[in-house]
Amino acid sequence: MPKRLIILGSTGSIGRKALEVASDFPGEFEIVALSTNCQVGLLAEQAQRFRPKAVCVCAPQAQDAGRAAAEAAGAVFHGGEAGLTELVERYDADMVVVATVGFVGLVPTLRAIALGRTIALANKEVLVTAGELVMEAAKRQKARILPIDSEHNAIFQCLNGHGPRAVRRVILTASGGPFRGSNRERMAAITPDEALRHPTWNMGPKITIDSATLMNKGFEVIEGKYLFDLTADQIEVVVHPQSTIHSMVEYVDGSVIAQLGVTDMYLPIQNVLFYPARVENKFPSLDWAAVGSLTFERPDMEAFPCLKYAYEALQQGGTSPAVLNAANEVAVARFLKGDIAFLRIPEIIRETLDAHKRLEASNLEEIQGADSWARQQAAAI
Ligand code: MG
């Protein structure tokens, strides 16, 4: 029986890779449903090729084109953000790949968990904004959450079933992004084009900017805490420019287990889609002599304050991480539009966090409320 997949966000970098894995292993997967925000042309091609039962297009301006693409591929059309949840609710699947970008992935993920589906999670904002809620629901429903993000997938592999009591700490590796070693003067002049050139990973625009500010690493710290039931103190970030080690686990006995590999998201996606099986793929082995040396340094939290703000939001808990995320989403979108300078991104986040009155985040409404409050706040700064 092929594994039945729903892929939310199939036109983004993770979604496309997931479909590449599926097409490299004929007969292993059935694509049940696909979604895009607004890349209808690519979604139409994917739908022709993989023949899903349904597709969803989220962006209001792309609904008509989406409907036509669905019809051409013989798929049922679902529209808007609500359409993502409809895909999850109406079509049976073994695994839901959540590869959307931003807050939009949260509600469909919670629905998929409520239905007991296995979640292949790439959308980091889901755990950043609602980590406690999501992990509690997963525990209750016995729904597995398998992390696609390379660092968490590495930790997941290194843990190999060990619980938090066996762990002294985890070490999240960071490439440092394109501006590692830059001073503030240099960073004041950074353009969106420069920030979109990542040295080791090829990713979508939002996450690439988050990598340049180190907010991406901050989000990964928050995600790591919830995914693996750790405290913030148990998660250390180390800059490792080669990105060969994807992360490490230090056990209470001092043993450190690291996961290494080629820097291609195909590998963690394959790991999750086939979990727990290990399957041969088209990638060559790492050439150790070519890798040469691996280097490590401490992250510069003064030059890259976003990482510091993420630790702070995690310590505060409640709605603070959701506010951190929303302010960041708005600030990054404004930077990409050319509306603000690169160094304004952390400043807008700082000002939004300072103005925020923290709530417990005990339900979805509180989180959504904090999210929309922070969006308005960050847009007005
Ligand atoms: Mg990552």
Side-chain angles (χ1 to χ4, degrees):
M1 278 281 280
K3 201 176 264 183
R4 296 164 304 168
L5 304 180
I6 292 175
I7 304 179
L8 304 180
S10 63
T11 57
S13 68
I14 299 293
R16 294 197 308 266
K17 284 269 178 197
L19 287 173
E20 185 186 333
V21 175
S23 71
D24 285 349
F25 295 91
E28 294 284 349
F29 303 99
E30 180 194 334
I31 307 302
V32 175
L34 298 172
S35 89
T36 187
N37 181 38
C38 60
Q39 292 191 63
V40 180
L42 180 54
L43 184 80
E45 281 171 36
Q46 292 176 342
Q48 288 293 344
R49 173 134 185 233
F50 293 95
R51 293 281 159 177
K53 293 193 172 88
V55 298
C56 171
V57 174
C58 293
Q61 74 276 14
Q63 300 294 300
D64 290 344
R67 218 169 258 117
E71 200 177 323
V76 179
F77 177 77
H78 295 266
E81 289 185 12
L84 297 174
T85 306
E86 291 164 14
L87 293 187
V88 169
E89 284 175 340
R90 296 190 195 171
Y91 304 91
D92 218 355
D94 302 300
M95 184 181 272
V96 178
V97 180
V98 184
T100 37
V101 178
F103 191 66
V104 59
L106 177 58
V107 173
T109 303
L110 284 169
R111 280 309 300 157
I113 289 170
L115 292 165
R117 308 279 192 252
T118 296
I119 309 292
L121 187 63
N123 185 160
K124 43 186 64 152
E125 292 84 350
V126 167
L127 287 179
V128 170
T129 57
E132 222 160 306
L133 211 63
V134 168
M135 294 311 290
E136 267 170 27
K139 211 172 183 180
R140 214 167 38 235
Q141 301 295 327
K142 299 194 170 52
R144 276 209 97 118
I145 298 185
L146 302 174
I148 285 179
D149 200 353
S150 62
E151 292 78 1
H152 303 93
N153 184 263
I155 293 165
F156 179 70
Q157 292 191 48
C158 295
L159 281 172
N160 198 20
H162 283 290
R165 281 170 51 195
V167 176
R168 186 179 289 163
R169 54 184 191 147
V170 302
I171 298 104
L172 278 177
T173 52
S175 70
F179 309 121
R180 181 172 63 92
S182 296
N183 58 23
R184 284 183 67 84
E185 199 177 26
R186 161 77 188 92
M187 285 199 275
I190 289 167
T191 65
D193 273 352
E194 288 174 292
L196 286 170
R197 271 180 243 131
H198 193 272
T200 51
W201 293 101
N202 187 7
M203 306 171 290
K206 160 72 167 50
I207 187 170
T208 304
I209 302 302
D210 288 344
S211 298
T213 61
L214 291 201
M215 182 53 98
N216 181 55
K217 210 48 56 179
F219 286 161
E220 289 177 356
V221 170
I222 298 174
E223 267 187 297
K225 177 211 149 65
Y226 292 116
L227 265 175
F228 305 115
D229 199 14
L230 302 167
T231 63
D233 300 338
Q234 278 176 293
I235 308 174
E236 184 177 333
V237 172
V238 164
V239 174
H240 165 48
Q242 297 82 18
S243 302
T244 303
I245 296 179
H246 299 147
S247 278
M248 307 180 248
V249 171
E250 180 182 332
Y251 284 97
V252 285
D253 60 5
S255 249
V256 181
I257 311 281
Q259 190 268 338
L260 297 80
V262 176
T263 51
D264 194 303
M265 288 307 293
Y266 189 105
L267 279 84
I269 292 169
Q270 180 191 334
N271 176 267
V272 161
L273 293 187
F274 279 100
Y275 183 82
R278 295 272 183 185
V279 183
E280 286 259 14
N281 63 22
K282 60 192 177 187
F283 286 84
S285 298
L286 262 186
D287 179 346
W288 292 102
V291 167
S293 54
L294 301 177
T295 61
F296 306 92
E297 54 197 72
R298 251 177 258 293
D300 183 348
M301 297 228 204
E302 298 313 313
F304 298 95
C306 286
L307 181 56
K308 196 166 59 184
Y309 300 161
Y311 270 104
E312 188 186 306
L314 183 56
Q315 296 285 10
Q316 287 172 358
T319 46
S320 293
V323 166
L324 174 89
N325 171 67
N328 180 63
E329 261 186 57
V330 170
V332 169
R334 287 178 67 182
F335 170 68
L336 284 171
K337 270 194 302 192
D339 175 25
I340 58 165
F342 187 75
L343 287 176
R344 284 295 285 154
I345 298 174
E347 289 171 4
I348 286 174
I349 296 164
R350 173 78 271 163
E351 287 172 46
T352 309
L353 279 173
D354 287 343
H356 172 236
K357 289 189 184 60
R358 182 188 160 281
L359 296 171
E360 277 312 319
S362 41
N363 58 52
L364 186 58
E365 289 68 37
E366 274 182 10
I367 295 166
Q368 283 167 329
D371 173 85
S372 39
W373 172 85
R375 270 166 214 278
Q376 282 172 9
Q377 186 78 15
I381 289 170

